[in-house]
Amino acid sequence: MLLYADAKEEVSVRWLNTKSESFHVSNGTKQGGVLSPYLFTRYIVDLITDVGLSNTGCRIGNMPTNIFAYADDIVLLTPSWYAMQALLKVLEKYCLA
């Protein structure tokens, strides 16, 4: 039974006008893959919940609208630098756990 198939993919990195040598990648999800957004949000669901329940940030009606997350991007929304500092402390707690 075959449990793992090596894709033998090669990638390189382009930065400005410079391109690295190719190297092999054997695991992970591809950027732009259909599973990437789902896996990313599953990975950070606790952070999204903590920020959403913090009662800090912007609101639309009674709904907190202080974090947007999709694919590999996170946006924090606050009406002031003080509120942003509070959300960054929530993020810091999550990162240190």
Side-chain angles (χ1 to χ4, degrees), residues 19-95:
K19 183 179 174 184
S20 74
E21 291 185 28
S22 296
F23 53 94
H24 293 281
V25 177
S26 61
N27 62 5
T29 57
K30 292 181 182 178
Q31 185 171 0
V34 296
L35 281 178
S36 294
Y38 174 78
L39 294 173
F40 176 69
T41 54
R42 297 284 41 100
Y43 182 74
I44 64 164
V45 69
D46 293 337
L47 170 64
I48 294 170
T49 301
D50 288 350
V51 170
L53 295 175
S54 70
N55 285 326
T56 302
C58 300
R59 295 190 170 292
I60 297 176
N62 289 330
M63 177 182 274
T65 311
N66 51 10
I67 186 168
F68 292 103
Y70 183 75
D72 60 354
D73 297 316
I74 298 174
V75 176
L76 298 175
L77 298 174
T78 63
S80 69
W81 67 268
Y82 183 79
M84 180 60 76
Q85 189 66 37
L87 289 186
L88 289 174
K89 286 185 184 212
V90 173
L91 177 61
E92 179 183 38
K93 180 184 87 173
Y94 178 80
C95 291

